[in-house]
Every structure is written in C-alpha cells, then in structure tokens.
Amino acid sequence: MENNMIEQCRAASTIMRQDILQMGMRAGSAGAHYGGSLSMVEILAVLYLSALRQGRNRFILSKGHGGMTQYAAMKQARLLSAEELDTFKQDETILTAHPGLHPEKGLEFASGSLGQGLSFGVGIALALRQNAPDARVYVLLGDGECNEGQIWEAAAAAAHFKLDKMVVIVDSNGLQYDGSTDNVFSMTPMTDKWRAFGWEAIDVDGHDVSALLYAFSMPVEKPLAVIAHTVKGKGVSFMENAPQWHHARMSQKQFEAAMAELAVQNA
C-alpha cells in the first residue's frame, strides 16, 4: 500500500507541474507565480492524496501565491475537474491567483497576505481539540514568509496550548521575491528556531515523497514543523533557482520547452 502511494504521488507530481504551466499560460499577460508553485508540488501531492484523506484533517495554504499548486493537487484528488482548472484567472472563476473561500469546493481558507495562515491554524486546532480531537491541521508556509512576526506569535501560542495535532510545513526553497532568503533576512537554522519555540522540528527533502509521507504522519507530543528543502522552479531547468521566475510570463517557446522537459521526466 505504501509503495503504491509513493508511486501515485510521484506520478501525480509530474502531472501537477504540467497543469501549473498550463494554468500560468492561460493567465496571459497577468503572469503567474511559477517558481514557488513548482517547488511545493510534492508537498501538496502527499497532502491531498494521503494526509488529507485520513479522517477530517484540515489544510491551510498560508503561502497563498502557490494557489496553482493547490488547484492542481485538488484536481488529482478529484475535487476539481480539468475543465474547472481551465478557468484559472479567467472572468468569474473561483480559481483566483490566491485561493479564496469556497468551502463547497474544498477551499476552506482564503489566503493572500502572508503571515496569517498559522494564526488561522492555531484557532482551528483549538476548536478541533473540542470537536474532533484526532484531526490534524496542516499549514504550509514559505521560508520567506517566516520573516513575518505573526508567524512566531502563532508558533509560541501553538506550543503554549500544546497543539500536538498541528503540522507546519515550510517550503524552504531559499528564494523570495527580493532574492535569497539568507540575504534578505536570514532565518537559518530554521529547525533550531522552531525547536526554541517549543516545537518538534525535522528537516526533509521536500521532493522526496517517501520522506514526506513519513514526516506528515509521525507521532509527536508537540506541534511539528517539517522543514521541506526544495528547489524553486523544480522540474523546469530554466526556472530552477532563478529569482526572475518568482512571478513572470512565459513565451510560447518557453512553454513548449518546459512541457517537453516534463514529458521526458514522465516517460
């Protein structure tokens, strides 16, 4: 069963990257957040195909500019259709650049302004302790987002209230809008900071599906921070570790080259 899930998540990840590129192209001149969306693909694949199917777990995408990845994962989980994915950033769509609140589709938390998601998660975890004590709350943060002070206020609260069903995943790709995270405002070593706030914290390869499957379900007695080390723009060679692809537009030629590269990976 575990081997089947690993293969399922790996296969889904390649399709999700193709869907992300197609959504970005449909956005036209408005452009799209390619780099950070591509870095978090395996994380969302494992969440939507495994962790979120266990009981009534919740997911909060605090890193809202990764909305394309959430939509692509929802398609893999059969929460969205291919036709719905085609409406990304189109008139009257619910698939906006940053996810809005559409609980009927499984979008239970709006996101956009960075730094707020963990506070939402603390509130949800406190409520679930009363109503669904076995349910876990997963919150995905960006490493640049961890510059926000509100993140650490919420982290301290989660430890104080002993929210052992809360899991934070940090998409640690080393780049943010203004450049390298170490140059803009270094938060390393990240695991030590979470531990200092009273959390369990582990480092994983954020593109290793088997490592993510283990990390998201490991038993702990404290809130858990999973520092997922990723490559911004993962899967498209000319986007990898390239700051200009944080938000950009692709030409048709670039799109075709990227899709061909992903097709080879999926062969």
Side-chain angles (χ1 to χ4, degrees):
M1 180 65 178
E2 182 178 347
N3 288 337
N4 288 341
M5 180 54 64
I6 290 171
E7 291 307 314
Q8 185 180 350
C9 290
R10 286 173 176 165
S13 295
T14 299
I15 298 171
M16 286 168 61
R17 286 192 167 90
Q18 292 170 331
D19 284 339
I20 287 166
L21 296 180
Q22 290 169 339
M23 278 186 277
M25 281 298 285
R26 290 189 199 98
S29 61
H33 287 96
Y34 290 106
S37 293
L38 291 168
S39 69
M40 53 191 260
V41 166
E42 283 81 7
I43 297 169
L44 269 290
V46 171
L47 282 172
Y48 270 92
L49 297 180
S50 178
L52 297 180
R53 290 184 172 180
Q54 300 171 23
R56 181 61 176 86
N57 295 334
R58 269 66 167 185
F59 172 61
I60 299 168
L61 178 63
S62 188
K63 178 188 165 179
H65 53 283
M68 290 194 296
T69 314
Q70 184 172 18
Y71 304 147
M74 291 173 69
K75 177 192 163 194
Q76 291 300 307
R78 299 185 180 181
L79 297 172
L80 289 174
S81 67
E83 291 73 23
E84 287 171 316
L85 220 59
D86 288 344
T87 70
F88 176 69
K89 274 193 173 184
Q90 304 303 306
D91 291 343
E92 300 183 6
T93 185
I94 68 167
L95 303 187
T96 47
H98 295 74
L101 182 62
H102 299 284
E104 74 284 359
K105 284 294 184 182
L107 291 165
E108 298 182 303
F109 303 94
S111 59
S113 296
L114 294 175
Q116 298 180 354
L118 187 52
S119 296
F120 292 157
V122 169
I124 294 299
L126 284 168
L128 289 175
R129 175 179 283 171
Q130 302 298 319
N131 303 312
D134 292 328
R136 283 190 164 193
V137 179
Y138 295 88
V139 181
L140 179 58
L141 308 174
D143 50 359
E145 182 182 8
C146 290
N147 295 163
E148 299 278 358
Q150 185 176 350
I151 294 292
W152 301 103
E153 293 179 58
H160 173 77
F161 291 116
K162 298 179 173 59
L163 300 179
D164 60 341
K165 301 299 183 185
M166 169 161 280
V167 180
V168 155
I169 308 109
V170 179
D171 178 18
S172 185
N173 60 39
L175 292 170
Q176 57 195 95
Y177 181 78
D178 294 321
S180 162
T181 54
D182 282 341
N183 290 336
V184 175
F185 188 29
S186 177
M187 301 300 293
T188 55
M190 185 75 77
T191 48
D192 288 352
K193 287 181 170 56
W194 288 94
R195 288 171 186 149
F197 274 76
W199 289 55
E200 295 281 355
I202 61 170
D203 289 286
V204 301
D205 179 343
H207 302 302
D208 183 337
V209 166
S210 59
L212 292 167
L213 283 165
Y214 170 75
F216 295 167
S217 60
M218 63 182 289
V220 291
E221 296 180 355
K222 299 177 180 180
L224 173 65
V226 179
I227 313 306
H229 297 276
T230 62
V231 175
K232 196 158 188 171
K234 176 70 173 177
V236 180
S237 57
F238 61 83
M239 292 184 181
E240 290 186 356
N241 293 317
Q244 65 268 30
W245 288 100
H246 178 88
H247 185 279
R249 290 177 291 176
M250 265 195 303
S251 68
Q252 183 65 31
K253 184 177 180 180
Q254 287 171 323
F255 171 72
E256 290 171 1
M259 290 295 284
E261 190 172 348
L262 290 174
V264 170
Q265 296 173 24
N266 199 33

